[in-house]
Amino acid sequence: MRIAFLTAPEGVEQVELTDPWQAAEDAGHQPVLVSTKPGEIQAFHHLDKADTFPVDEVVGETSAGSFDALVLPGGVANPDFLRMDEKAVAFVRDFFTRGRPVAAICHAPWTLVEADVVRGRELTSWPSLRTDIRNAGGTWVDEQVVVCERGSGTLVTSRKPDDLKAFCAAFLDVFAKETA
């Protein structure tokens, strides 16, 4: 599978990018780093700068149709930047329109809220997003991983970096079913 990993130019929580990326590669998939600007993204370890990563493709110059699935890493600033970018929000929404699977962890569901794709779905996130998710018509639950098949495309969500092992296993399982 060709999997888009969408991040803002800065603010992504590094481990929420690198662990799922490695899991996807280990499973034989092709992860592709997509951002709103060309060049590199700046990852963070919570509030401290971490490593940089090269952008493979830019939103607005690529489409959801060229990918089989989407992963949205978290970090507080990352989804906040993404939800303010109309092309990024449209890119995310298009995965749901096409019925493609999406996985989001930690603060990443903020972008899903902005894309108006949580209505009628059950999901989890970092606890501070629960009111935003409920106000957008979603059902927020405090669980390690939630797989929601309601609506177009399966949605896999998780709460925090401590849930990464379960998150990776769940989205890889869902993505594998999509290619079967």
Side-chain angles (χ1 to χ4, degrees):
M1 294 185 85
R2 193 164 185 264
I3 303 171
F5 280 71
L6 177 62
T7 72
E10 66 177 340
V12 69
E13 185 68 32
Q14 182 163 314
V15 70
E16 293 175 3
L17 170 64
T18 56
D19 280 17
W21 184 284
Q22 189 64 54
E25 278 189 335
D26 291 348
H29 302 302
Q30 178 190 0
V32 178
L33 186 59
V34 179
S35 190
T36 58
K37 295 181 182 176
E40 294 183 330
I41 64 153
Q42 175 67 61
F44 281 74
H45 293 298
H46 192 52
L47 299 175
D48 299 321
K49 284 187 176 182
D51 297 323
T52 59
F53 299 89
V55 172
D56 298 313
E57 296 187 25
V58 177
V59 167
E61 298 172 11
T62 190
S63 76
S66 65
F67 297 96
D68 301 298
L70 171 65
V71 174
L72 295 168
V76 178
N78 178 52
D80 198 47
F81 286 129
L82 289 176
R83 68 185 177 158
M84 297 303 294
D85 185 292
E86 290 179 22
K87 290 178 182 175
V89 172
F91 182 75
V92 170
R93 188 180 304 114
D94 198 24
F95 278 87
F96 289 89
T97 301
R98 294 172 182 273
R100 305 256 166 91
V102 174
I105 187 167
C106 200
H107 287 79
W110 261 341
T111 309
L112 301 176
V113 166
E114 191 66 32
D116 194 23
V117 295
V118 301
R119 190 171 319 283
R121 292 181 179 267
E122 183 177 88
L123 61 155
T124 193
S125 67
W126 186 256
S128 65
L129 276 66
R130 70 178 163 253
T131 301
D132 296 323
I133 289 168
R134 288 178 182 149
N135 287 343
T139 300
W140 186 87
V141 295
D142 185 13
E143 294 179 15
Q144 189 176 40
V145 177
V146 175
V147 176
C148 182
E149 295 177 335
R150 287 185 225 139
S152 177
T154 302
L155 175 62
V156 180
T157 54
S158 212
R159 302 172 299 190
K160 57 188 174 183
D162 289 347
D163 299 336
L164 275 165
K165 186 175 180 181
F167 175 68
C168 292
F171 84 71
L172 287 173
D173 182 56
V174 165
F175 291 7
K177 291 176 184 171
E178 294 294 320
T179 60

